Amino acid sequence: MNLANLGLSGINAAQNRLQTTGHNINNAATEGYNRQSVLVSTAGATPTGFGFIGRGVQTDSVERAYNNFLSRQLVNSQSTGASISAYGNEIVQINNLFADRTVGITPALQKFFDGIQAVASSPADPAARQELLGRSASLVGQLNDANAFLDAQRNNINTQVSTVVTQVNSYVERIRDLNHQVVVAKASGSGQPPNDLLDQRDQAISELSQLVGVRVLEQDGSVNLTLSNGQVLLGGDTAFPLKAVPAANDPSRTVVAYSAPTGAGTTTLVEMDDSSISGGTLGGLLSYRNSTLDSVQNELGRLAVGVALSVNKQHQTGFDQNGNAGVEFFNIGKPKALSSIDNKGSAVVSATFSDANALTGQDYKITFNGANDYTVTSVPNGTQVFRGDLSTPQEIGGMQIQIAAGAQAGDSWALQPTRSAASDLKLNLTDPASIAAAGSAIGDADGGNALLLAKLQTEKVLGNGTMGLNEAFSQIVNKVGVQTQQNGTSAKAQATLIQQNYAAQQAVSGVNLNEEYVNLDRSLEQFRAASRLIDVSSTLFDTLLGMRA
């Protein structure tokens, strides 16, 4: 009978190995699957007077080939790769918009000043004047269109942020459910690891990490999840969902927020800075908006303000064909000031452009501390640029800023001087005769003021006397081009790193079909040999019975 038991234990072990090998073969192409193997040990031995006789083999467990370090390394590299890809998908669009020097703003600026030169050469020529108005309208249109494109991209990013946040919450709920299944399965399986459920959970975490960078902490069979800034997404059996909401100081900007308890069973939404979220598609989108889109749109607006203020100032010193003093050539809007939705007071910010050369291209946050004490800091670096009374106009960053009475302590405003300036730019002139080309009220033969207008093409009217108008736009183009190139280089390097990490992880956890075929044959031979033991045991038993008869 001992031979039968030996054979049975061998058959059971071989069958377990065959089933596990078959499971590996069937899941060789299943994403996130880790190769499984049967762990066996000797079933012990029976003591006799002449030694110990073995009792066969027993199956201890089925383990997955899993290395936590290699797996986390792969997940982290994929998360970074997703972030770089999301950033690259956005920046390549504006790079394509600005990079072509044959169309767009660069040639529009050149043609505008060429038109001024033509008027300066023939101030009495109505065709030259009409051509200048057409070229002026074209320049305005190019700036308007470029800003409209950036606005559309900004709205698209808002939509993507909302979508990704919804997906993140869905994954967190799924991982929470898998946590519960893992704990239940482990308890019902005598503490044995539920390998397939663990694979599913790890794969869900991997997919979540490609949406947003997360940190994973395992505790008592469950995993807890936090964002890179420490904000908890999943703690124990409780999920803490994120929300995509309009920013308090800029409703046109969708930001990520979480719910924080305020006592008595109530919660409040707390916004997170874009810079506090990293990794994954969400991190890439927010990084692009925060570090590139905002500054590019601000600098484009600064260019529009520079064109308007410099041309207007010079144009108003001349005279048109009717001997009238020149009027504003372009119309430009005012700096955009937004009151926080949390403000308790009624005060509003009044700001106008005063000096294009002093514009920085930065945004500002204004905070009221009480008793006519206002603090103005630049965004995003947080440098204080002013503190004092704003009840009377103050010159700050190329603007005249004033806040009327009605503010309460704690009120704040977001000031975006040039964010929408490129869309606000309009051509004020409609009559060719109203072009103030003359330097005096003499008549058509005088093109002195047009010559001075033409000189604006090379004058340093921006950046505290460091940039001309063409240089200002070239700086935008170069900045975007460099960042696009850097992103492309980073994407290639990250793709190589992901491949290397994947290869290292698969070397440990991947299914090798050739190896499984060998294991299949080996287990089959073991099954046959164990079956033969039972056959021999039966023959011996029959022989013994026959001898008794």
Side-chain angles (χ1 to χ4, degrees):
M1 290 300 292
N2 190 44
L3 282 179
N5 289 332
L6 287 172
L8 181 60
S9 70
I11 285 178
N12 287 336
Q15 187 175 24
N16 290 335
R17 282 177 168 145
L18 286 169
Q19 290 178 335
T20 301
T21 300
H23 190 53
N24 287 339
I25 292 172
N26 290 336
N27 288 282
T30 300
E31 193 164 358
Y33 179 79
N34 291 276
R35 176 173 50 85
Q36 298 179 11
S37 58
V38 177
L39 297 182
V40 299
S41 63
T42 175
T46 302
T48 67
F50 49 82
F52 288 84
I53 302 298
R55 292 197 293 264
V57 65
Q58 64 182 14
T59 300
D60 295 327
S61 180
V62 178
E63 74 168 0
R64 56 179 186 151
Y66 179 78
N67 183 293
N68 183 66
F69 173 76
L70 293 177
S71 296
R72 292 308 307 165
Q73 194 174 46
L74 174 60
V75 168
N76 291 338
S77 63
Q78 289 174 332
S79 180
T80 302
S83 177
I84 293 173
S85 177
Y87 185 104
N89 290 339
E90 301 300 327
I91 198 170
V92 72
Q93 297 178 45
I94 58 173
N95 185 56
N96 293 337
L97 175 68
F98 292 146
D100 191 345
R101 300 299 181 98
T102 62
V103 295
I105 295 173
T106 297
L109 268 172
Q110 183 61 49
K111 290 178 180 178
F112 169 70
F113 284 107
D114 288 346
I116 294 178
Q117 289 280 11
V119 172
S121 299
S122 304
D125 185 358
R129 288 175 171 267
Q130 188 62 54
E131 179 71 12
L132 174 57
L133 287 186
R135 293 185 175 188
S136 302
S138 177
L139 173 60
V140 169
Q142 290 294 335
L143 287 166
N144 291 166
D145 290 346
N147 194 80
F149 180 89
L150 297 178
D151 277 339
Q153 189 178 51
R154 187 177 296 277
N155 292 333
N156 181 53
I157 289 175
N158 285 343
T159 301
Q160 290 186 71
V161 168
S162 298
T163 300
V164 172
V165 166
T166 300
Q167 293 174 330
V168 167
N169 292 336
S170 177
Y171 270 102
V172 171
E173 286 291 339
R174 182 182 173 191
I175 294 169
R176 186 187 65 144
D177 291 340
L178 286 168
N179 268 345
H180 180 71
Q181 294 179 46
V182 166
V183 171
V184 171
K186 192 172 183 179
S188 62
S190 302
Q192 294 294 336
N195 295 318
D196 294 286
L197 285 175
L198 294 176
D199 285 347
Q200 291 177 36
R201 188 175 68 183
D202 287 343
Q203 180 61 21
I205 293 173
S206 174
E207 293 172 4
L208 171 62
S209 296
Q210 294 182 53
L211 294 175
V212 64
V214 294
R215 294 174 179 171
V216 182
L217 175 64
E218 188 167 354
Q219 185 177 21
D220 298 329
S222 296
V223 293
N224 300 318
L225 303 173
T226 68
L227 294 177
S228 56
N229 66 347
Q231 173 58 37
V232 178
L233 295 178
L234 178 63
D237 196 41
T238 304
F240 299 89
L242 301 176
K243 291 189 177 181
V245 298
N249 61 357
D250 184 0
S252 67
R253 187 185 189 93
T254 299
V255 296
V256 182
Y258 63 91
S259 295
T262 57
T266 61
T267 60
T268 185
L269 286 177
V270 179
E271 296 180 14
M272 287 185 282
D273 291 335
D274 287 356
S275 58
S276 69
I277 300 174
S278 62
T281 299
L282 184 59
L285 290 172
L286 297 180
S287 175
Y288 168 76
R289 182 175 67 183
N290 194 44
S291 65
T292 300
L293 180 58
D294 287 350
S295 63
V296 167
Q297 196 164 18
N298 286 353
E299 289 169 12
L300 183 68
R302 181 172 66 163
L303 171 63
V305 175
V307 170
L309 294 191
S310 61
V311 171
N312 286 351
K313 182 178 179 180
Q314 185 60 52
H315 189 257
Q316 288 174 300
T317 65
F319 297 88
D320 64 15
Q321 282 188 305
N322 298 318
N324 298 321
V327 297
E328 289 188 346
F329 200 100
F330 297 104
N331 288 330
I332 191 69
K334 295 181 178 181
K336 186 178 180 181
L338 301 167
S339 300
S340 171
I341 60 175
D342 298 324
N343 284 2
K344 295 180 174 58
S346 58
V348 295
V349 175
S350 175
T352 57
F353 293 114
S354 57
D355 182 7
N357 225 327
L359 289 173
T360 63
Q362 292 184 324
D363 294 334
Y364 299 92
K365 181 178 181 180
I366 304 175
T367 304
F368 182 57
N369 304 316
N372 292 330
D373 185 17
Y374 291 88
T375 301
V376 182
T377 55
S378 60
V379 176
N381 55 25
T383 302
Q384 181 175 306
V385 297
F386 175 85
R387 182 169 184 176
D389 184 9
L390 287 176
S391 61
T392 57
Q394 299 291 332
E395 182 75 18
I396 302 173
M399 299 171 287
Q400 287 282 328
I401 301 176
Q402 181 178 9
I403 302 180
Q408 293 190 23
D411 288 356
S412 65
W413 299 262
L415 183 59
Q416 299 169 348
T418 60
R419 179 70 54 84
S420 60
S423 65
D424 294 338
L425 183 67
K426 299 292 183 290
L427 180 62
N428 187 46
L429 301 183
T430 57
D431 183 4
S434 64
I435 296 176
S440 63
I442 297 175
D444 291 345
D446 180 9
N449 196 46
L451 288 173
L452 295 176
L453 284 169
K455 288 183 179 180
L456 293 175
Q457 184 176 15
T458 56
E459 287 188 5
K460 308 297 186 182
V461 298
L462 292 172
N464 289 317
T466 62
M467 290 186 295
L469 298 175
N470 284 322
E471 292 170 320
F473 185 68
S474 295
Q475 186 180 75
I476 298 173
V477 174
N478 292 338
K479 176 180 179 178
V480 172
V482 168
Q483 290 180 340
T484 303
Q485 185 179 34
Q486 289 175 340
N487 177 266
T489 302
S490 297
K492 291 179 182 178
Q494 194 64 27
T496 300
L497 179 61
I498 291 173
Q499 291 176 351
Q500 292 173 348
N501 290 340
Y502 180 75
Q505 187 266 346
Q506 285 295 296
V508 173
S509 303
V511 175
N512 185 317
L513 289 176
N514 291 329
E515 182 181 346
E516 297 303 322
Y517 296 155
V518 172
N519 290 337
L520 196 65
D521 289 339
R522 182 183 298 142
S523 299
L524 182 59
E525 288 300 317
Q526 182 186 3
F527 187 93
R528 288 171 176 166
S531 300
R532 183 61 178 159
L533 276 176
I534 295 177
D535 186 42
V536 169
S537 174
S538 177
T539 300
L540 290 175
F541 187 70
D542 289 342
T543 300
L544 289 174
L545 290 177
M547 290 174 61
R548 183 177 180 183

